[in-house]
Amino acid sequence: LTISELNYAYNAGIKTSGEASGIYAGSRWMLSPLHKQVDICDDYATEDKFGLGAGVFPRGQEPCYPHPNCRCWLAPVFGNAKEGR
């Protein structure tokens, strides 16, 4: 439970701090090295749903916390996500 809560809080913090930043373009879903099972996290990390690259979600479209005990995380993307800056 502690892992879930800490990871949920971290990912929520990325979204919240991004909303306050003028250069935050979105976030990239990163798979944890401890990620062993194929699940929704793999979809989040490999899909190019928005045409910004694999695993990139634009500002305001970040995915929800997918499942209990998830250790994957959001990494902020700054500038123009399409250009990778």
Side-chain angles (χ1 to χ4, degrees), residues 2-3 5 11 13 15 21 23-24 27-30 40 44 46 54 57-58 60 72-74 76 84:
T2 303
I3 296 295
E5 291 299 320
N11 287 335
K15 292 180 201 178
S21 170
I23 59 170
Y24 174 77
S27 59
R28 180 181 308 274
W29 189 259
M30 306 296 291
I40 192 169
Y44 284 170
T46 59
F57 294 82
C72 301
W73 70 93
L74 291 170

Side-chain angles (χ1 to χ4, degrees), residues 15-81:
K15 292 180 201 178
T16 302
S17 63
E19 291 171 2
S21 170
I23 59 170
Y24 174 77
S27 59
R28 180 181 308 274
W29 189 259
M30 306 296 291
L31 292 176
S32 167
L34 301 173
H35 181 81
K36 304 290 186 215
Q37 283 184 272
V38 175
D39 59 19
I40 192 169
C41 291
D42 295 278
D43 294 338
Y44 284 170
T46 59
E47 283 182 340
D48 187 7
K49 186 176 179 179
F50 300 97
L52 301 172
V56 179
F57 294 82
R59 181 183 193 146
Q61 298 294 315
E62 298 90 344
C64 297
Y65 191 71
H67 57 83
N69 299 315
C70 181
R71 295 182 180 192
C72 301
W73 70 93
L74 291 170
V77 175
F78 298 101
N80 186 338

